[in-house]
Amino acid sequence: MKACVTTALAELRRRDPDLATAAELAWQRVDGSDDAGLVSQWRVQAFCWLDLPGDRSVDSPARVVDGLAALLDLMSLRRYADIARGEETRDVLAGAARSDAGLRHEVRGALTRSGIQPPDTELLSWAPQCGPSEATAYVLVADALEIAVQVGEYTPKRAGWLQRREEITNRVLATGRPELDGRAPYEGIVAERVLAWARSGGSLTGQRLLARLEPQMAQAVPAAEPAAAERLLRRLQRFLAFVEGGVPLTDSGYLKPDAVARCVDEVGLADDLVASPARERDVPPVYYLRTVAQRLGLVRTQAKRLVLAPAGRDALGKVTRLWRQVAGALVPVPGRRASSGAHAAVAVWDILLAALLDDEPCTFDDIVDVCLQVLDESGWRLANGQPVDHHTVGGLLSEAYRDVHWLGLLQRRDPYDDAVGLVPVPDADQLFLAALRHRLLHSRTLFTGAG
């Protein structure tokens, strides 16, 4: 250790040997280097609010933060010492003593109030479990945000601070750095995630399929040209125009028969009908288009009416924005506490889109077989502990396939026609690739394995 650290510890041992022992333990966890100048606000916060509260091997967390604060004081790092001994840290430690829920609540509040927690941006959402490139980038961003706050670029909780924090985050992620051989941190994160995604899950079948997309997934996917997006998403555009102004619903939450008929006519769904329009539930083109539009966040129900959601209003008449919204929401993103079935559904989406992006046309049953093999090899099991079966996997795939089918993104209309391969319509491959890449950079679940 440099003289300042060594001298400070020696002085603390002279004053209080027990406190010095606690301080040395904390210092090794906060910095661990020989250079006290490398310590930062984020490192102190991460230790005091994230690492220490969950460490059951520490008998007295309060004593450890007291030791850290005393050591930081002796090294003239008083702002960091104030964090260690401060009210936020005491509240976090008290929350940890109460319950896991109490800890999570206190930590979220403390991190938000600090103003230097790297936010999710349009570039990526930070993963709770990440590789070394992403972990390094996270600290680089946090350190940049600390400096920004100190020099007055923004003040937490003041007007405009969230936007400014995102701008700084994106700037750090996109700027080349000498220690990374001139590469931007974002490039390393993307490469790391692509490799983790393509190699995850424990299924050689899945890995072989996903690995074919690695070169494309490593590159940004631009939005389709307006004319191409117009052709691709015409059905969805017309549906949003149909919903504009609101459409009354029945007490059961379905479109009324007259609205179903009007939807068929205005959206142009007559060719997909096998019977005259009646109840919405009995008219698949209308029912499933409405269902997927809701899942994509474009429409919603409100006071017995189907209305445009904010994203739908924003995309109405703006086809490039609609393209981006669909690409960003096509693959469902399960929350951190989602069921295993929700995570299995994401694995199925990965396989479906990867198969559709493959050069060889494939049938619905072909993809069911591949999904079944991937999930089985990856260790997925049913609720009763039995291996996944054809029926269960077929159900998961049907839900995903149904969405791309009724959005009009496939050439063939019948999802169960084994005689004809599934082929994306022109320009849909670009949308599928963008959807997979968005899922890769914004999903909390990168992997296709059961755990």
Side-chain angles (χ1 to χ4, degrees):
M1 293 183 182
K2 287 195 171 182
C4 60
V5 181
T6 303
T7 301
L9 279 173
E11 175 62 19
L12 196 56
R13 286 193 191 94
R14 187 184 67 79
R15 299 180 184 181
D16 189 330
D18 290 340
L19 193 61
T21 298
E24 191 165 14
L25 181 153
W27 178 256
Q28 291 302 323
R29 299 269 291 279
V30 169
D31 187 288
S33 73
D34 294 338
D35 186 359
L38 295 178
V39 71
S40 68
Q41 180 177 342
W42 174 254
R43 287 172 171 84
V44 174
Q45 288 180 182
F47 172 71
C48 293
W49 303 346
L50 299 174
D51 298 341
L52 182 61
D55 189 343
R56 303 306 179 193
S57 68
V58 177
D59 293 332
S60 177
R63 183 67 169 169
V64 171
V65 294
D66 285 343
L68 176 60
L71 179 62
L72 292 168
D73 270 335
L74 288 171
M75 294 189 293
S76 299
L77 298 172
R78 291 186 177 84
R79 186 165 63 85
Y80 299 153
D82 288 343
I83 294 172
R85 68 163 62 90
E87 183 179 347
E88 299 279 15
T89 297
R90 300 297 173 183
D91 288 344
V92 168
L93 295 179
R98 290 196 305 272
S99 65
D100 289 342
L103 172 61
R104 287 192 296 270
H105 173 77
E106 296 295 346
V107 168
R108 280 195 299 268
L111 290 173
T112 299
R113 287 186 290 273
S114 78
I116 69 161
Q117 183 182 21
D120 295 341
T121 74
E122 74 274 8
L123 288 179
L124 86 157
S125 299
W126 300 98
Q129 295 180 334
C130 63
S133 294
E134 187 168 347
T136 298
Y138 194 90
V139 175
L140 288 173
V141 171
D143 291 349
L145 294 177
E146 175 186 356
I147 294 171
V149 171
Q150 292 305 304
V151 301
E153 284 194 61
Y154 71 88
T155 301
K157 298 299 184 181
R158 294 277 181 88
W161 79 281
L162 292 174
Q163 179 180 350
R164 185 63 183 138
R165 185 179 62 158
E166 284 196 24
E167 292 170 353
I168 294 168
T169 297
N170 287 336
R171 184 184 68 205
V172 173
L173 288 174
T175 302
R177 301 185 66 89
E179 67 270 28
L180 299 177
D181 297 324
R183 289 205 312 169
Y186 184 66
E187 296 177 54
I189 294 173
V190 172
E192 193 170 67
R193 288 201 183 188
V194 168
L195 185 62
W197 173 74
R199 300 291 187 271
S200 68
S203 166
L204 293 178
T205 303
Q207 290 173 10
R208 282 193 295 268
L209 181 60
L210 300 182
R212 298 172 196 167
L213 295 176
E214 283 187 60
Q216 296 164 281
M217 292 288 282
Q219 304 298 320
V221 181
E225 293 295 326
E230 182 84 32
R231 289 192 302 271
L232 187 66
L233 300 175
R234 182 178 293 115
R235 177 176 293 189
L236 196 52
Q237 279 188 293
R238 290 174 175 173
F239 184 74
L240 295 183
F242 162 74
V243 175
E244 185 182 14
V247 181
L249 300 173
T250 67
D251 291 340
S252 300
Y254 293 105
L255 293 173
K256 297 178 179 180
D258 63 325
V260 173
R262 188 161 55 87
C263 181
V264 169
D265 180 54
E266 294 181 15
V267 180
L269 301 174
D271 289 345
D272 291 321
L273 292 181
V274 294
S276 299
R279 297 182 307 171
E280 182 190 5
R281 195 68 174 84
D282 298 329
V283 184
V286 175
Y287 177 74
Y288 289 120
L289 183 59
R290 180 259 187 100
T291 300
V292 69
Q294 283 188 251
R295 186 181 69 75
L296 293 173
L298 296 167
V299 301
R300 65 183 180 184
T301 58
Q302 184 180 69
K304 293 187 179 181
R305 293 174 68 82
L306 185 66
V307 300
L308 294 178
R313 288 196 300 272
D314 186 55
L316 188 65
K318 302 168 186 172
V319 70
T320 301
R321 291 188 184 182
L322 180 60
W323 191 95
R324 291 196 179 98
Q325 178 68 21
V326 174
L330 185 62
V331 180
V333 177
R336 296 183 185 182
R337 300 184 183 181
S339 67
S340 60
H343 292 295
V346 176
V348 168
W349 268 100
D350 283 351
I351 299 304
L352 171 62
L353 296 186
L356 291 173
L357 288 165
D358 206 8
D359 292 334
E360 294 296 326
C362 51
T363 67
F364 181 86
D365 281 348
D366 289 337
I367 302 177
V368 171
D369 292 340
V370 173
C371 288
L372 180 60
Q373 189 170 358
V374 169
L375 293 179
D376 185 58
E377 290 174 359
S378 300
W380 291 97
R381 294 294 181 266
L382 301 177
N384 60 7
Q386 295 299 308
V388 289
D389 54 41
H390 196 278
H391 174 75
T392 301
V393 174
L396 288 174
L397 181 60
S398 291
E399 293 182 12
Y401 175 82
R402 196 170 56 212
D403 284 357
V404 295
H405 168 63
W406 292 113
L407 284 173
L409 303 179
L410 298 179
Q411 298 279 25
R412 179 167 52 80
R413 286 193 291 270
D414 183 357
Y416 303 106
D417 182 354
D418 291 334
V420 183
L422 307 175
V423 180
V425 300
D427 300 307
D429 52 351
Q430 186 177 356
L431 181 65
F432 293 160
L433 190 61
L436 276 177
R437 184 176 160 93
H438 187 279
R439 165 267 197 281
L440 184 71
L441 294 175
H442 293 279
S443 174
R444 305 294 184 184
T445 307
L446 286 181
F447 308 114
T448 57

